[in-house]
PDB file of all heavy atoms in Angstrom:
ATOM      1  N   ASP A1345      36.813 147.776 -39.925  1.00 91.00           N
ATOM      2  CA  ASP A1345      36.922 146.825 -38.793  1.00 91.00           C
ATOM      3  C   ASP A1345      38.211 146.084 -38.789  1.00 91.00           C
ATOM      4  O   ASP A1345      38.865 145.922 -37.751  1.00 91.00           O
ATOM      5  CB  ASP A1345      35.782 145.793 -38.879  1.00 91.00           C
ATOM      6  CG  ASP A1345      34.408 146.377 -38.503  1.00 91.00           C
ATOM      7  OD1 ASP A1345      34.357 147.313 -37.680  1.00 91.00           O
ATOM      8  OD2 ASP A1345      33.396 145.911 -39.062  1.00 91.00           O
ATOM      9  N   TYR A1346      38.619 145.596 -40.000  1.00 91.00           N
ATOM     10  CA  TYR A1346      39.911 144.857 -40.083  1.00 91.00           C
ATOM     11  C   TYR A1346      41.040 145.741 -39.683  1.00 91.00           C
ATOM     12  O   TYR A1346      41.982 145.305 -39.016  1.00 91.00           O
ATOM     13  CB  TYR A1346      40.098 144.322 -41.481  1.00 91.00           C
ATOM     14  CG  TYR A1346      39.218 143.208 -41.860  1.00 91.00           C
ATOM     15  CD1 TYR A1346      38.500 143.224 -43.059  1.00 91.00           C
ATOM     16  CD2 TYR A1346      39.096 142.078 -41.016  1.00 91.00           C
ATOM     17  CE1 TYR A1346      37.625 142.118 -43.399  1.00 91.00           C
ATOM     18  CE2 TYR A1346      38.248 141.063 -41.389  1.00 91.00           C
ATOM     19  CZ  TYR A1346      37.535 141.042 -42.545  1.00 91.00           C
ATOM     20  OH  TYR A1346      36.736 139.964 -42.889  1.00 91.00           O
ATOM     21  N   ALA A1347      41.030 147.031 -40.151  1.00 94.00           N
ATOM     22  CA  ALA A1347      42.102 147.958 -39.766  1.00 94.00           C
ATOM     23  C   ALA A1347      42.183 148.212 -38.258  1.00 94.00           C
ATOM     24  O   ALA A1347      43.226 148.291 -37.663  1.00 94.00           O
ATOM     25  CB  ALA A1347      41.923 149.311 -40.569  1.00 94.00           C
ATOM     26  N   ILE A1348      40.979 148.313 -37.660  1.00 95.00           N
ATOM     27  CA  ILE A1348      40.947 148.545 -36.215  1.00 95.00           C
ATOM     28  C   ILE A1348      41.513 147.322 -35.466  1.00 95.00           C
ATOM     29  O   ILE A1348      42.300 147.544 -34.544  1.00 95.00           O
ATOM     30  CB  ILE A1348      39.485 148.863 -35.758  1.00 95.00           C
ATOM     31  CG1 ILE A1348      38.996 150.194 -36.314  1.00 95.00           C
ATOM     32  CG2 ILE A1348      39.359 148.839 -34.237  1.00 95.00           C
ATOM     33  CD1 ILE A1348      37.483 150.421 -36.104  1.00 95.00           C
ATOM     34  N   VAL A1349      41.092 146.162 -35.859  1.00 94.00           N
ATOM     35  CA  VAL A1349      41.554 144.927 -35.256  1.00 94.00           C
ATOM     36  C   VAL A1349      43.121 144.817 -35.347  1.00 94.00           C
ATOM     37  O   VAL A1349      43.801 144.368 -34.475  1.00 94.00           O
ATOM     38  CB  VAL A1349      40.889 143.714 -35.852  1.00 94.00           C
ATOM     39  CG1 VAL A1349      41.559 142.431 -35.341  1.00 94.00           C
ATOM     40  CG2 VAL A1349      39.434 143.717 -35.391  1.00 94.00           C
ATOM     41  N   GLU A1350      43.613 145.248 -36.477  1.00 95.00           N
ATOM     42  CA  GLU A1350      45.108 145.147 -36.645  1.00 95.00           C
ATOM     43  C   GLU A1350      45.819 146.060 -35.670  1.00 95.00           C
ATOM     44  O   GLU A1350      46.843 145.689 -35.048  1.00 95.00           O
ATOM     45  CB  GLU A1350      45.493 145.562 -38.066  1.00 95.00           C
ATOM     46  CG  GLU A1350      45.091 144.511 -39.108  1.00 95.00           C
ATOM     47  CD  GLU A1350      45.323 144.908 -40.529  1.00 95.00           C
ATOM     48  OE1 GLU A1350      45.726 146.177 -40.779  1.00 95.00           O
ATOM     49  OE2 GLU A1350      45.175 144.133 -41.458  1.00 95.00           O
ATOM     50  N   VAL A1351      45.327 147.251 -35.419  1.00 97.00           N
ATOM     51  CA  VAL A1351      45.917 148.119 -34.393  1.00 97.00           C
ATOM     52  C   VAL A1351      45.692 147.598 -33.008  1.00 97.00           C
ATOM     53  O   VAL A1351      46.609 147.635 -32.203  1.00 97.00           O
ATOM     54  CB  VAL A1351      45.368 149.598 -34.549  1.00 97.00           C
ATOM     55  CG1 VAL A1351      45.917 150.472 -33.491  1.00 97.00           C
ATOM     56  CG2 VAL A1351      45.612 150.183 -35.890  1.00 97.00           C
ATOM     57  N   LEU A1352      44.527 147.056 -32.760  1.00 97.00           N
ATOM     58  CA  LEU A1352      44.273 146.470 -31.507  1.00 97.00           C
ATOM     59  C   LEU A1352      45.227 145.302 -31.225  1.00 97.00           C
ATOM     60  O   LEU A1352      45.738 145.177 -30.067  1.00 97.00           O
ATOM     61  CB  LEU A1352      42.804 145.906 -31.423  1.00 97.00           C
ATOM     62  CG  LEU A1352      41.683 146.899 -31.203  1.00 97.00           C
ATOM     63  CD1 LEU A1352      40.352 146.263 -31.482  1.00 97.00           C
ATOM     64  CD2 LEU A1352      41.721 147.544 -29.797  1.00 97.00           C
ATOM     65  N   ALA A1353      45.444 144.423 -32.209  1.00 96.00           N
ATOM     66  CA  ALA A1353      46.341 143.297 -32.058  1.00 96.00           C
ATOM     67  C   ALA A1353      47.781 143.779 -31.774  1.00 96.00           C
ATOM     68  O   ALA A1353      48.474 143.223 -30.904  1.00 96.00           O
ATOM     69  CB  ALA A1353      46.280 142.418 -33.262  1.00 96.00           C
ATOM     70  N   ARG A1354      48.206 144.820 -32.447  1.00 97.00           N
ATOM     71  CA  ARG A1354      49.547 145.370 -32.207  1.00 97.00           C
ATOM     72  C   ARG A1354      49.708 145.885 -30.769  1.00 97.00           C
ATOM     73  O   ARG A1354      50.690 145.571 -30.120  1.00 97.00           O
ATOM     74  CB  ARG A1354      49.879 146.463 -33.219  1.00 97.00           C
ATOM     75  CG  ARG A1354      51.209 147.172 -32.912  1.00 97.00           C
ATOM     76  CD  ARG A1354      51.523 148.221 -33.975  1.00 97.00           C
ATOM     77  NE  ARG A1354      50.550 149.301 -34.055  1.00 97.00           N
ATOM     78  CZ  ARG A1354      50.475 150.322 -33.217  1.00 97.00           C
ATOM     79  NH1 ARG A1354      51.354 150.383 -32.173  1.00 97.00           N
ATOM     80  NH2 ARG A1354      49.617 151.265 -33.365  1.00 97.00           N
ATOM     81  N   ILE A1355      48.693 146.591 -30.337  1.00 97.00           N
ATOM     82  CA  ILE A1355      48.777 147.133 -28.975  1.00 97.00           C
ATOM     83  C   ILE A1355      48.659 146.047 -27.927  1.00 97.00           C
ATOM     84  O   ILE A1355      49.325 146.039 -26.869  1.00 97.00           O
ATOM     85  CB  ILE A1355      47.681 148.232 -28.770  1.00 97.00           C
ATOM     86  CG1 ILE A1355      47.996 149.478 -29.716  1.00 97.00           C
ATOM     87  CG2 ILE A1355      47.596 148.645 -27.297  1.00 97.00           C
ATOM     88  CD1 ILE A1355      46.857 150.489 -29.682  1.00 97.00           C
ATOM     89  N   ALA A1356      47.781 145.079 -28.181  1.00 96.00           N
ATOM     90  CA  ALA A1356      47.636 143.898 -27.238  1.00 96.00           C
ATOM     91  C   ALA A1356      48.992 143.260 -27.086  1.00 96.00           C
ATOM     92  O   ALA A1356      49.360 142.794 -25.953  1.00 96.00           O
ATOM     93  CB  ALA A1356      46.657 142.993 -27.797  1.00 96.00           C
ATOM     94  N   LYS A1357      49.769 143.094 -28.154  1.00 96.00           N
ATOM     95  CA  LYS A1357      51.078 142.428 -28.028  1.00 96.00           C
ATOM     96  C   LYS A1357      52.032 143.373 -27.224  1.00 96.00           C
ATOM     97  O   LYS A1357      52.801 142.866 -26.392  1.00 96.00           O
ATOM     98  CB  LYS A1357      51.650 142.251 -29.407  1.00 96.00           C
ATOM     99  CG  LYS A1357      52.956 141.469 -29.448  1.00 96.00           C
ATOM    100  CD  LYS A1357      53.355 141.117 -30.897  1.00 96.00           C
ATOM    101  CE  LYS A1357      54.647 140.343 -30.919  1.00 96.00           C
ATOM    102  NZ  LYS A1357      55.047 139.989 -32.356  1.00 96.00           N
TER     103      LYS A1357
END
Side-chain angles (χ1 to χ4, degrees):
D1345 289 327
Y1346 288 131
I1348 292 170
V1349 169
E1350 287 172 356
V1351 177
L1352 284 169
R1354 173 177 62 77
I1355 294 173
K1357 187 174 181 180

